[in-house]
Amino acid sequence: MDIVTIETTSLGDRSYLATDGTTAVVVDPQRDIDRVLDLLERLGVDVSLVLETHVHNDYVTGGLELAQRTGARYVLPADSHVEFDHTPAGDGDVLEAGAFAVRAIHTPGHTHHHTSYALQNGEGVVEAVFTGGSLLFGSTGRTDLVSPEDTVGLTHDQFRSARRLAAELPASTAVYPTHGFGSFCSATPTSGDSSTIGEQATTNPALTQAETDYVQTLLDGLDAYPAYYAHMGPANRRGPDPVDLSMPAPVEPDQVRRRIAGGEWVVDLRERNAFAAGHLAGSYGFELSDNFVTYLGWLYHYGTPLTLIGQSEEQVLAARRELARIGIDHLAGAATGDIEAIAGGTVADGALRGYRVSDFAGLAERTRQGPVQVLDARRRDERAGGGVRGSQHIPLHELAERIEEVPTGEVWVYCGSGYRASVAASVLDRPGRDVVLVNDSYSAAADAGLAVPHPDQG
């Protein structure tokens, strides 16, 4: 058997295709199923089963459409409470697929219904297990996505589920998790790119710690997760519409400005330095990179008309694919090309706004000239590890609601890498503020003599 990984780095997730050379099983497919269909065609195999380990909270699934397009059976864990026809998989159920089979193992914790699937060869020997949001590489899935009232109980369930997998499966079993590669569905940071049950038995906290220690460590490690998660579960239970990856309708420059004036969202996909050099007043800068979809989804108000600005149609299409993965399907349009042409002018003549870009060395030099307002846009767990002396802390995902707390005038903005700071700078860049983007890795703050362990203690 061969198992092919389909990586979605922007969401920190993996989908899988397992095949015996003729028949295939697909596990936790993302919304953009063209990648799976292309792989099936390239391998010359037919998909028999489409499996979901759980109703996902961090992306819209492509499983329903993939099953409908291919004629495969669509399998979800029993008690998923979805609104469409499917095959429910109860604990211990065995599903045949060509020369191999998968056995459902109920592994609650990430959700109540979460199920892992053990892949058995023709002799009935388990070769791999698809663990979804249960057993990850060096960690487990977070347990606070169902409700605050369920979190403690699900954390205990997660511990027992991991122990069950380790007890029932051979040590040589390859582990294939869906989450844990940067996904916020991971409870604590993961490590490694591949593993086995035997390796996890010596490294995974759920398998090396006592239950009380594991539960407390996991609960202590939980922090904020993207606001768009609230829309994913309901969309997946309803059954997502077929994905649309076509080019949005073109938008004329004067329409873009009217949309901004009307309170609509206009998102500029260009590189952060290019945005800082010149952008339409009132637009948001979300550089198209691996962080794009997570943070746009976190800040965006679902249902608000959304127009994209990109350097090319290819850039807009790539953004549309990312947005479709989190259920932002209905785009109001797109404008492409040179930003000065879209704006009808330059920064010098007032058609565009711009702000300065520096680094931590530049911030250190500025602090030697006198007091300066500094904003830390990182999460609370990052801030707990230290920050720039005297900086104000407002996590990026809270900035829009707390923007009045940021004084007017000059403000320097930083984060861990420069990406979130660039988004924060675009939110702050309005008349009355002189924004400076610190486009630098936070590790450089120590080299510049700015980092202190307890930045909120004076």
Side-chain angles (χ1 to χ4, degrees):
M1 286 185 292
D2 289 322
I3 298 176
V4 182
T5 298
I6 305 167
E7 193 98 33
T8 305
T9 55
S10 57
L11 292 175
D13 285 330
R14 290 179 174 180
S15 306
Y16 300 100
L17 185 149
T19 179
D20 61 2
T22 302
T23 303
V25 168
V26 177
V27 183
D28 288 343
Q30 287 272 341
R31 182 84 180 284
D32 47 330
I33 61 168
D34 57 330
R35 295 184 293 167
V36 181
L37 295 172
D38 289 346
L39 181 58
L40 290 167
E41 183 176 4
R42 190 162 68 248
L43 295 175
V45 298
D46 295 318
V47 59
S48 172
L49 301 172
V50 177
L51 307 175
E52 301 281 12
T53 56
H54 59 293
V55 175
H56 303 282
N57 286 288
D58 63 331
Y59 65 85
V60 176
T61 181
L64 179 60
E65 184 180 3
L66 180 62
Q68 291 173 338
R69 292 273 296 272
T70 61
R73 273 200 293 168
Y74 191 29
V75 181
L76 284 86
D79 298 322
S80 294
H81 302 296
V82 295
E83 300 174 14
F84 47 84
D85 291 337
H86 66 285
T87 299
D91 187 46
D93 286 353
V94 176
L95 303 160
E96 304 290 339
F100 59 96
V102 291
R103 176 166 59 90
I105 306 172
H106 184 216
T107 48
H110 192 48
T111 65
H112 291 291
H113 61 270
H114 189 284
T115 296
S116 300
Y117 298 96
L119 185 67
Q120 303 172 175
N121 63 23
E123 286 71 49
V125 176
V126 175
E127 294 192 3
V129 60
F130 301 104
T131 57
S134 185
L135 189 68
L136 312 183
F137 295 156
S139 183
T140 49
R142 67 188 305 151
T143 56
D144 59 339
L145 299 180
V146 176
S147 74
E149 294 76 22
D150 289 303
T151 299
V152 173
L154 283 172
T155 306
H156 285 280
D157 288 342
Q158 189 75 294
F159 175 86
R160 294 164 192 150
S161 292
R163 291 290 173 117
R164 180 184 178 189
L165 291 172
E168 293 187 6
L169 301 178
S172 60
T173 304
V175 177
Y176 289 93
T178 301
H179 304 316
F181 310 96
S183 169
F184 278 88
C185 277
S186 172
T188 53
T190 60
S191 61
D193 195 55
S194 63
S195 191
T196 63
I197 289 292
E199 290 170 356
Q200 287 303 300
T202 65
T203 59
N204 197 297
L207 303 177
T208 60
Q209 294 181 349
E211 183 169 354
T212 53
D213 294 335
Y214 163 82
V215 168
Q216 193 59 55
T217 300
L218 188 149
L219 294 175
D220 289 345
L222 295 173
D223 196 18
Y225 54 83
Y228 70 82
Y229 277 29
H231 301 274
M232 302 299 95
N236 287 326
R237 286 190 170 87
R238 287 193 303 270
D241 293 329
V243 68
D244 180 4
L245 300 176
S246 64
M247 185 67 189
V251 180
E252 296 300 318
D254 60 332
Q255 291 179 300
V256 177
R257 288 191 293 272
R258 284 200 299 270
R259 291 178 181 189
I260 294 173
E264 299 185 13
W265 265 56
V266 173
V267 169
D268 192 323
L269 305 170
R270 296 175 301 137
E271 192 271 335
R272 68 192 76 162
N273 286 296
F275 182 89
H279 55 272
L280 285 167
S283 64
Y284 297 101
F286 285 87
E287 175 186 299
L288 185 61
S289 69
D290 278 351
N291 291 312
F292 164 75
V293 70
T294 294
Y295 289 104
L296 189 148
W298 206 329
L299 273 65
Y300 173 70
H301 298 288
Y302 273 63
T304 304
L306 172 59
T307 300
L308 302 178
I309 293 176
Q311 291 175 300
S312 64
E313 288 192 358
E314 290 74 19
Q315 190 177 51
V316 170
L317 286 171
R320 174 152 215 180
R321 179 180 293 270
E322 295 284 6
L323 293 170
R325 290 170 175 162
I326 62 168
I328 300 176
D329 294 333
H330 305 296
L331 300 181
T336 59
D338 182 75
I339 192 63
E340 292 184 0
I342 294 173
T346 66
V347 173
D349 59 27
L352 294 171
R353 285 184 64 86
Y355 50 77
R356 291 173 287 162
V357 178
S358 188
D359 53 18
F360 281 107
L363 176 57
E365 176 61 29
R366 174 62 183 83
T367 61
R368 285 190 284 271
Q369 299 170 13
V372 61
Q373 180 70 22
V374 179
L375 178 67
D376 180 352
R378 298 175 301 158
R379 300 186 308 274
R380 287 186 175 82
D381 60 317
E382 296 170 284
R383 179 75 172 185
V388 169
R389 182 184 294 106
S391 59
Q392 179 184 19
H393 180 228
I394 303 179
L396 173 61
H397 60 274
E398 298 178 8
L399 181 58
E401 303 300 322
R402 299 174 56 189
I403 196 167
E404 297 304 322
E405 297 177 28
V406 183
T408 55
E410 183 180 5
V411 56
W412 291 60
V413 190
Y414 77 93
C415 65
S417 67
Y419 187 87
R420 285 168 292 174
S422 71
V423 177
S426 76
V427 173
L428 289 168
D429 185 41
R430 301 294 185 269
R433 285 199 176 88
D434 177 14
V435 178
V436 184
L437 166 62
V438 179
N439 187 27
D440 203 355
S441 169
Y442 177 71
S443 60
D447 297 334
L450 294 170
V452 293
H454 305 290
D456 298 313
Q457 295 181 5

